[in-house]
Amino acid sequence: MLAERMKNLHPYVPGEQPKDRDYIKLNANENPYSPSPVVQKAVCKAAKKQRARMGLYPDPDSHELKEAIADMLNKTGGVLSRTVLSGGRKNGSGADCTPDAHDRIPFAVTSDMIYCGNGSDEVLSFVFYAFFNSDRPLVLPAFTYSFYPVYAGFYQIPLDAVPLKADWSLDTDAMLSRANSADTSIIFANPNAPTGIGLSRAEVRALLEKAPKDRVFVVDEAYVDFGGESCIPLLTDFPNLVVVRTFSKSLCGAGMRLGYLVASPDLVNAVTTVKNSLNHFPVDYIAQQAGIASCKDAGYYVRASKLVVEERESFITFLKDRGWDVIPSKTNFVFARKIDEATGKAKSGEAMYRAIKEQGILVRHFATPGIEDFLRITIGTHEQMFALKKAMEQL
């Protein structure tokens, strides 16, 4: 009774969503902080004073939201944790934002360079449909965001997965060689997931300069706000570049389902055509209002991102002091494995995951061969990380 194409579907498995116990949840890379109070007010106002709008179709192209995103990127440079704040409240709300000199975008991002969707996962789905072909393999790292293979199966796009280097960084030379050999596209997360390592903007530029010019090159910047380097400044030189971003991580909005991409207007129009061929009204009215308010109070999220980075660095030191092998991270998580002092070998990642879970804390374990000894641990609040450290000292 099922269509033949169903055989190629291998659904994404999200982080555990417990229902039987109140765990400290550090397994899905969610932001531990609530959205800005400005967002709460905007949503309540929309639901109470403009509730009739919820009975009408929303703006299909999210015009006001795209303008707000463009303004936020121009004010922050696209990396919140390095943005300079002035004024505002203690939590950063209402503060003025100035991009770090290294992150300043050398042009004005405009709304016609932005496409908005229901989370970056939907945006990525449309990117796969619009730009990747079934007659040639898509080049990507062997270990990266695990939704990429899901979409490849859904759209019947072959993959060419390139192994990581011994230090867990991307093998950019091998990726470039394979892309040129097949005249095909490249996609990767930067910083990468689940490893947490990021390429510099200069390294991405070097890739773009040698990659096929007539194929779309996709950089997924879901975690860039926690210390990576955004590739948005490269858009003027590379019209085939697409940068995908999300509200779920640094903008504390995983429950809102908002994502976007930044690219040339021509590529934005292509993705919009895909959207309009599936669902003309993707982002609902309330989500648009929440997103607009988030962008207008960027200072709050700058402060939250800085707190996450502080906790990450403290936690990395904690792990290294206790014999853990920790991969350098530019994200809101760490990827680490426990080394047995007697044997010098890694302990079972699954056993470590279960021992931590028994103490009321969820972290992420992947059974994937090659990374099965690692845990991916989301950075939480200071109180949550204190509880985790205490639990891990009991192992």
Side-chain angles (χ1 to χ4, degrees), residues 148-165:
Y148 300 158
V150 174
Y151 286 137
F154 190 84
Y155 295 119
Q156 300 182 359
I157 299 166
L159 296 178
D160 185 0
V162 179
L164 301 181
K165 292 181 179 180

Side-chain angles (χ1 to χ4, degrees), residues 15-317:
E16 187 176 355
Q17 303 290 331
K19 297 182 176 63
D20 59 337
R21 181 175 173 181
D22 187 19
Y23 288 94
I24 294 176
K25 196 167 179 295
L26 301 175
N27 67 332
N29 295 345
E30 297 146 318
N31 199 300
Y33 300 103
S34 301
S36 161
V38 174
V39 174
Q40 180 183 1
K41 291 178 181 178
V43 169
C44 291
K45 178 181 177 181
K48 184 176 182 180
K49 296 185 178 181
Q50 299 172 317
R51 64 182 184 275
R53 293 287 299 275
M54 289 188 287
L56 305 175
Y57 287 117
D59 174 4
D61 293 313
S62 306
H63 285 97
E64 190 177 353
L65 175 56
K66 292 197 292 185
E67 291 175 357
I69 291 172
D71 185 58
M72 175 189 67
L73 293 174
N74 290 324
K75 289 181 177 179
T76 65
V79 182
L80 294 180
S81 64
R82 283 197 297 271
T83 297
V84 179
L85 296 180
S86 58
R89 301 181 180 86
K90 185 177 180 180
N91 65 0
S93 187
D96 292 328
C97 298
T98 304
D100 179 84
H102 184 71
D103 300 315
R104 189 171 290 110
I105 301 171
F107 59 88
V109 178
T110 53
S111 61
D112 61 350
M113 298 174 63
I114 295 170
Y115 168 83
C116 297
N118 287 304
S120 61
D121 289 335
E122 181 187 75
V123 174
L124 283 165
S125 174
F126 293 165
V127 164
F128 270 66
Y129 188 92
F131 304 126
F132 304 151
N133 296 300
S134 60
D135 64 346
R136 64 194 69 207
L138 170 65
V139 173
L140 76 170
F143 296 115
T144 188
Y145 184 29
S146 51
F147 224 133
Y148 300 158
V150 174
Y151 286 137
F154 190 84
Y155 295 119
Q156 300 182 359
I157 299 166
L159 296 178
D160 185 0
V162 179
L164 301 181
K165 292 181 179 180
D167 65 356
W168 301 98
S169 64
L170 302 190
D171 190 340
T172 54
D173 289 339
M175 292 173 64
L176 189 62
S177 174
R178 296 192 191 187
N180 281 313
S181 176
D183 186 25
T184 191
S185 294
I186 294 175
I187 186 173
F188 58 91
N190 191 44
N192 196 27
T195 61
I197 297 177
L199 294 179
S200 69
R201 189 183 307 118
E203 289 173 314
V204 177
R205 175 183 283 278
L207 268 173
L208 280 160
E209 287 174 342
K210 298 179 181 179
K213 299 296 187 294
D214 60 342
R215 302 296 174 190
V216 167
F217 188 109
V218 180
V219 179
D220 184 349
E221 294 189 345
Y223 299 101
V224 74
D225 278 319
F226 300 104
E229 294 186 17
S230 177
C231 292
I232 292 175
L234 302 178
L235 287 169
T236 51
D237 297 327
F238 301 99
N240 63 325
L241 172 62
V242 171
V243 178
V244 178
R245 298 174 64 105
T246 182
F247 278 68
S248 295
K249 311 303 180 185
S250 57
L251 291 173
C252 310
M256 293 190 297
R257 309 313 306 133
L258 276 176
Y260 63 99
L261 65 77
V262 190
S264 71
D266 287 343
L267 296 186
V268 168
N269 288 338
V271 176
T272 302
T273 297
V274 175
K275 180 264 291 185
N276 287 338
S277 301
L278 177 68
N279 177 11
H280 189 50
F281 301 101
V283 183
D284 70 73
Y285 171 67
I286 293 296
Q288 289 189 39
Q289 299 308 304
I292 292 165
S294 296
C295 293
K296 290 183 177 180
D297 196 21
Y300 174 89
Y301 299 100
V302 169
R303 178 60 179 153
S305 296
K306 291 178 184 294
L307 289 174
V308 169
V309 170
E310 290 174 8
E311 286 297 329
R312 181 190 71 205
E313 296 308 303
S314 172
F315 185 56
I316 287 174
T317 299

Side-chain angles (χ1 to χ4, degrees), residues 331-388:
T331 65
N332 68 335
F333 62 84
V334 297
F335 202 51
R337 57 186 171 183
K338 182 70 170 70
I339 304 300
D340 188 293
E341 294 181 2
T343 65
K345 296 181 180 180
K347 292 189 175 184
S348 165
E350 182 177 5
M352 303 301 286
Y353 151 77
R354 293 190 180 282
I356 294 171
K357 182 178 179 180
E358 287 177 1
Q359 299 191 60
I361 303 173
L362 291 179
V363 297
R364 188 78 186 266
H365 172 254
F366 297 91
T368 310
I371 57 172
E372 68 274 17
D373 292 329
F374 282 88
L375 298 180
R376 192 196 69 189
I377 305 170
T378 304
I379 302 302
T381 64
H382 181 73
E383 292 74 20
Q384 289 173 330
M385 299 310 291
F386 179 82
L388 175 61

